Amino acid sequence: MPQNSAAVLRALRTPFVVEPAHVPTPASDEVVVRVRAVAVNPVDWVIQGTGSVTYRWLQTPVVLGSDVAGEVVAIGSAVTRFRVGQRVFGLATGTDRGRDPQHEGAFQDHTALLERLTAPTPDDLTDEQAVVLPLGASTAACALFQERHLGLRMPGHATVDGAGGTADGDRGVVVVWGGSTSVGMNAVQLASAAGYDVVTTASPRNAELVRSLGAEVVVDHHDPHAVDALVAAIAGRRVLGAVALGTTSAAACIQVLRRTGGTVLALASTPVSLDRLAGRRRLFPAMLPVFSRLGLTMAGLMLSARRAGIRTAFIWGSSLRDDAVGPMLWGEVLPRGLADGTLRAVPEPLVLGTGLAAVQGALDRQRAGVSAQKIVVTL
Ligand SMILES: NC(=O)c1ccc[n+]([C@@H]2O[C@H](COP(=O)([O-])OP(=O)(O)OC[C@H]3O[C@@H](n4cnc5c(N)ncnc54)[C@H](OP(=O)(O)O)[C@@H]3O)[C@@H](O)[C@H]2O)c1
């Protein structure tokens, strides 16, 4: 009988404690994985620091984490794509409303994953390389392919209504603000693999890397003329929409779309960072000015988008669990793209330690800021 341990958040704004946990039993559509590597994401320290406001449905003690790679140790009765012993990577969605984070949280030795959000790990990828992908690729796929966002055709597929073609020869341009973020790198490579032209932003040190993922033009997001440069690069072509990553991205994307006739904006980030708030021992009263500013800034952005005829919606990176995008991404697009080289495991992992006790340091390092890297812990 395997043993399980988890990095448990016993109370918000306290460090993780490593303690024994139940080994999950797979539901019919799940696999249970012996986790060998996890990656951390901004959402993990956002929940740890502000969950009582931002993830109000979560009760402590709780197991966090979305990105998992390891090997299958048990399969549910309806699972057909995986067998015990197989190396896999996948997206754990336990922190979503209505899910069970103890059963399906990444930061433990054994966790459950839905078969439809899991893929085989290619032989040429280590677990720490594969684990960079789940939330980054899933969030990018939600932004690009879900009908409520850009609604583009997926790589190798037509759109839902079958209208994937660009008969006039104009492939259409996708704008990704934040192309060197984890989500952005995946958005660039997925949009490019689907046959669209991509214009994006990154720091100059990451421009070549983002270009190698398929971006046609990479503009420095710190340049005060970045919006002008993107508009010039689009050069009158049809803009299919923008994906906004980073606190300043929504305002910049609205300007780009307004000036180029684009009408769809997928938002991944709040326009006010929660990082300082997340590091505080007490949320009150510091949260009041932060959330007031957030509310006012959002209202201003929504108004300017509406005036420009731009449809905006917030991305929920695990919402592909409940639509056709999830099974297509995890069952077809990722396995095929990784095998034929049209997709890569990006960004590069930065392995910060081994063992569940290293998870807290990994979150702190993520919150301090990364550049085109994913913080990973091996287990
Ligand atoms: N809604 C969702 O479901 C969802 C899911 C996942 C992530 N997110 C959000 O999406 C955002 C990206 O997450 P992530 O994990 O991909 O981030 P990340 O990898 O931690 O982002 C780090 C990157 O941010 C870039 N950056 C710095 N200044 C920027 C600017 N002014 N504009 C755009 N990018 C800038 C840096 O690029 P350079 O080093 O090249 O400057 C750096 O590589 C975060 O706000 C996160 O909370 C949302």
Side-chain angles (χ1 to χ4, degrees):
M1 186 71 184
Q3 305 282 306
N4 195 23
S5 294
V8 177
L9 188 64
R10 297 210 64 81
L12 296 180
R13 290 179 301 288
T14 61
F16 293 100
V17 178
V18 178
E19 53 186 47
H22 290 294
V23 179
T25 303
S28 60
D29 57 350
E30 290 176 341
V31 297
V32 169
V33 172
R34 169 60 173 99
V35 182
R36 298 294 180 190
V38 297
V40 301
N41 291 282
V43 68
D44 301 320
W45 51 257
V46 167
I47 294 175
Q48 186 177 34
T50 71
S52 54
V53 182
T54 52
Y55 276 66
R56 295 171 74 153
W57 57 89
L58 280 182
Q59 304 288 321
T60 52
V62 67
V63 180
L64 305 183
S66 310
D67 293 335
V68 173
E71 72 254 357
V72 176
V73 294
I75 61 172
S77 57
V79 168
T80 57
R81 291 172 50 230
F82 301 107
R83 55 179 164 69
V84 170
Q86 189 171 2
R87 293 176 62 232
V88 297
F89 65 108
L91 178 70
T93 68
T95 52
D96 278 3
R97 196 190 292 269
R99 308 291 299 178
D100 178 354
Q102 264 75 350
H103 181 76
E104 196 196 348
F107 300 156
Q108 53 187 332
D109 286 334
H110 294 81
T111 192
L113 293 174
L114 286 163
E115 178 183 31
R116 63 185 183 275
L117 300 182
T118 303
T121 306
D123 289 343
D124 60 350
L125 287 186
T126 62
D127 294 325
E128 46 270 47
Q129 287 172 317
V131 82
V132 303
L133 277 169
L135 188 62
S138 297
T139 307
C142 288
L144 296 170
F145 308 128
Q146 285 182 333
E147 282 299 300
R148 67 187 297 263
H149 298 298
L150 273 61
L152 304 176
R153 64 177 184 270
M154 297 184 76
H157 287 266
T159 46
V160 173
D161 63 4
T166 49
D168 55 1
D170 181 352
R171 289 152 51 100
V173 181
V174 175
V175 180
V176 179
W177 187 285
S180 52
T181 64
S182 172
V183 177
M185 291 172 84
N186 280 288
V188 169
Q189 66 173 352
L190 283 167
S192 174
Y196 300 103
D197 294 335
V198 182
V199 299
T200 189
T201 73
S203 286
R205 64 175 173 269
N206 293 323
E208 200 44 53
L209 170 62
V210 177
R211 225 173 264 125
S212 76
L213 296 170
E216 175 191 291
V217 172
V218 185
V219 165
D220 181 359
H221 38 226
H222 304 294
D223 181 344
H225 303 294
V227 167
D228 296 335
L230 285 176
V231 172
I234 290 164
R237 285 175 291 169
R238 189 165 50 108
V239 173
L240 301 170
V243 182
L245 301 149
T247 47
T248 60
S249 60
C253 285
I254 289 169
Q255 288 187 55
V256 173
L257 291 173
R258 190 171 48 75
R259 289 170 57 183
T260 57
T263 58
V264 188
L265 175 58
L267 298 168
S269 309
T270 54
V272 173
S273 175
L274 301 179
D275 62 344
R276 292 223 181 101
L277 210 50
R280 282 181 175 264
R281 287 174 66 95
R282 294 160 62 92
L283 257 189
F284 297 95
M287 64 168 271
L288 296 174
V290 174
F291 279 97
S292 303
R293 222 174 97 227
L294 184 55
L296 283 172
T297 312
M298 272 315 299
L301 287 168
M302 292 303 114
L303 192 61
S304 61
R306 197 174 311 143
R307 280 193 182 134
I310 298 166
R311 173 169 63 81
T312 56
F314 260 99
I315 307 160
W316 193 265
S318 47
S319 58
L320 78 183
R321 179 188 55 234
D322 303 319
D323 62 29
V325 173
M328 278 162 73
L329 178 77
W330 284 93
E332 298 177 35
V333 172
L334 281 173
R336 190 177 54 231
L338 291 171
D340 69 16
T342 49
L343 299 177
R344 288 167 22 204
V346 286
E348 278 287 307
L350 174 61
V351 180
L352 269 202
T354 298
L356 290 165
V359 168
Q360 183 62 59
L363 260 71
D364 296 341
R365 178 66 181 77
Q366 211 300 328
R367 189 163 67 83
V370 296
S371 180
Q373 280 183 317
K374 194 99 187 177
I375 305 293
V376 168
V377 172
T378 53
L379 301 182

